[in-house]
Amino acid sequence: MSSDPAVAEITRVQQAVIESIAPQFRHNPYDSYEILRAAGPFVPGPHDTHLVTRHAEAQAILIDPRWSHAEEPDLLHGDSDVELPGSFLWMEPPDHTRLRGLVGKAFTSRTVTALQARAEQLVDELLTAILAEHEVDLLETLAYPVPITLICEMLGVPAEAHAQVRAMSAGIARGLDPDVLLSPEELAARTAAVHEFTEFFGDLVEQRRKNPQADVITALVQAEEAGVRLTHTELIGTLLILVVAGHETSVNLIGNGVLALIREPGEFHRLRTDPDLAGPAVDEVLRYDAPVHLTTRTARAEITVGERTFAPGDAVIVLLGSANRDPAAFPDADRFDLTRYLPGHRTERHLSFGLGLHYCLGAPLARLEMRTILHALGTRVTDLSLLAEPPYRPNVVVRGMSELRVRVEGR
């Protein structure tokens, strides 16, 4: 280590860059984020990118349509031998506008709202089984079953295939990380999962063309905008995003929320005293420990953000998890506070669902699932405690635990 303070600080920041995206630091990237924010809003990152560390600059980039998301596959998976099916997630207008409009006709807020009773029934059944068992892995018994069941039922996936969809989704979610962070085995697993997904959902699409049902796959097949429908590739790509985003991210959101309640028993007491805090609590979970920690953008023009000007083609990695803990935006940012987003409180928006053109289409479903679970925990559970420190999966983009062993008491 150099005795020169300036050199030492550069080394410290460089180490924080590594730790902010390295799989072995998934259990706590927040200490690294703090170092990066202190170093500035833009910190040199891998592959000639800049890491966006602070809320104001991250928000400005996400809301500005001059920043493109279409280049992310090349940035993260440039040497891949398999292409993820085309999705509006990695498109810009006019293609993005057309595809998102078509998907919006099928994946409506009314469709999601209609799931409330089913979500409550499902959570109640699962929680009854958990309370009878007392000591469980809450990821396996609650966090996985709720989102995989709801998204599969919405789409029209047969019940006997839910486990298969979960396995495919896990392989693809791991494969969303930069290729340089994946082992040969993980790259091969992603290739296999994409091929299996394409074949499985391709068959379902063809079945719905011949025999329409009251499900989202049928609605996507039939959706039409100005006489144009989704192509087969666009359909598969859209379903891939709905499944992975509608399942993997929700699993992590649920797990992170439960863990935060365990680590902050005072906040869990608040929820038990007033289960209606479940609504605003969802946003605090999303801010405090987001399920998705980074996204990328590429400048399509010369753009000035804060005091930095980016040239066309310059790429950034927006650290959503860091922006959500920025004390300049959120007072006492490292504190988990279920009342932070109560109506009437003037609180900055978290960035966990993105902003602008690429705001998460599945946000209403994720909110529904998390709100239902938090309300049930507040109503029926009297005590939550950890049985062991939870291990984390190596995933960087979609961050979460691999296990959450807990003891649960209640009624």
Side-chain angles (χ1 to χ4, degrees):
M1 180 71 70
S2 170
S3 60
D4 185 331
V7 173
E9 181 60 22
I10 291 172
T11 303
R12 182 169 178 260
V13 172
Q14 290 173 336
Q15 182 63 29
V17 170
I18 295 170
E19 293 180 3
S20 71
I21 57 176
Q24 62 267 36
F25 293 95
R26 289 300 82 202
H27 65 288
N28 178 25
Y30 295 106
D31 291 345
S32 300
Y33 293 161
E34 184 176 2
I35 294 171
L36 295 177
R37 285 194 303 271
F42 302 106
V43 175
H47 302 299
D48 297 321
T49 64
H50 275 81
L51 304 181
V52 186
T53 68
R54 298 178 186 172
H55 185 274
E57 288 76 12
Q59 180 173 252
I61 288 171
L62 294 177
I63 203 75
D64 189 338
R66 295 176 298 169
W67 287 94
S68 170
H69 197 208
E71 291 76 14
E72 181 163 297
D74 290 333
L75 282 171
L76 302 186
H77 317 293
D79 297 324
S80 176
D81 62 348
V82 63
E83 290 187 8
L84 297 175
S87 163
F88 62 88
L89 179 66
W90 294 306
M91 293 182 182
E92 294 299 320
D95 288 337
H96 177 274
T97 306
R98 177 180 64 85
L99 263 67
R100 188 168 177 121
L102 286 166
V103 175
K105 290 177 181 292
F107 199 80
T108 65
S109 57
R110 181 180 299 180
T111 304
V112 173
T113 301
L115 288 174
Q116 180 69 58
R118 174 60 177 137
E120 291 174 357
Q121 175 195 24
L122 179 60
V123 170
D124 187 60
E125 291 172 354
L126 293 169
L127 202 49
T128 296
I130 289 168
L131 289 170
E133 192 75 16
H134 292 299
E135 294 186 359
V136 298
D137 175 0
L138 211 69
L139 293 187
E140 286 296 324
T141 54
L142 186 66
Y144 271 108
V146 172
I148 195 65
T149 300
L150 291 181
I151 192 63
C152 282
E153 288 182 354
M154 282 183 73
L155 293 175
V157 175
E160 62 270 19
H162 288 190
Q164 181 184 358
V165 172
R166 172 183 166 178
M168 290 186 284
S169 178
I172 294 169
R174 177 68 183 119
L176 293 177
D177 279 3
D179 286 2
V180 295
L181 298 180
L182 303 179
S183 68
E185 293 77 16
E186 288 168 330
L187 289 169
R190 179 180 67 191
T191 300
V194 169
H195 288 160
E196 184 181 1
F197 188 100
T198 301
E199 182 176 348
F200 177 85
F201 278 96
D203 288 344
L204 278 182
V205 165
E206 292 309 311
Q207 291 174 27
R208 294 305 186 271
R209 290 191 196 279
K210 298 172 183 176
N211 183 24
Q213 304 288 323
D215 56 39
V216 170
I217 290 181
T218 299
L220 285 170
V221 168
Q222 296 176 342
E224 190 168 333
E225 184 79 30
V228 179
R229 294 189 176 186
L230 292 163
T231 67
H232 183 79
T233 299
E234 290 168 347
L235 266 169
I236 299 302
T238 297
L239 289 169
L240 185 147
I241 292 302
L242 290 178
V243 169
V244 176
H247 166 228
E248 289 291 333
T249 55
S250 291
V251 170
N252 296 332
L253 176 62
I254 294 164
N256 293 350
V258 173
L259 181 62
L261 290 174
I262 292 173
R263 295 204 190 282
E264 299 293 339
E267 294 306 293
F268 183 43
H269 178 74
R270 270 183 171 178
L271 183 65
R272 288 174 52 215
T273 303
D274 181 10
D276 287 340
L277 274 176
V282 173
D283 279 298
E284 178 63 350
V285 174
L286 283 159
R287 182 203 70 83
Y288 181 77
D289 203 5
V292 177
H293 269 236
L294 63 87
T295 186
T296 70
R297 293 293 188 270
T298 301
R300 296 196 295 174
E302 184 178 284
I303 308 170
T304 299
V305 182
E307 297 181 357
R308 184 177 185 87
T309 298
F310 293 88
D314 284 350
V316 298
I317 298 174
V318 183
L319 295 179
L320 303 171
S322 177
N324 285 341
R325 292 282 192 102
D326 186 350
F330 305 100
D332 208 0
D334 288 328
R335 183 167 66 90
F336 182 58
D337 179 3
L338 294 187
T339 66
R340 192 182 297 268
Y341 283 94
L342 278 175
H345 285 208
R346 299 183 63 182
T347 305
E348 286 279 2
R349 293 179 64 170
H350 61 75
L351 304 180
S352 298
F353 286 139
L355 293 170
L357 289 174
H358 295 285
Y359 183 80
C360 178
L361 191 69
L365 179 58
R367 288 184 183 280
L368 169 69
E369 293 165 347
M370 191 72 223
R371 183 176 67 246
T372 303
I373 287 173
L374 287 172
H375 192 275
L377 292 176
T379 303
R380 297 190 59 189
V381 174
T382 56
D383 187 61
L384 273 170
S385 57
L386 279 179
L387 294 174
E389 280 298 311
Y392 277 76
R393 294 185 294 171
N395 301 39
V396 174
V397 175
V398 182
R399 173 183 172 271
M401 295 167 277
S402 58
E403 185 179 71
L404 182 57
R405 298 285 305 172
V406 298
R407 181 169 181 82
V408 189
E409 302 289 347
R411 49 186 180 271

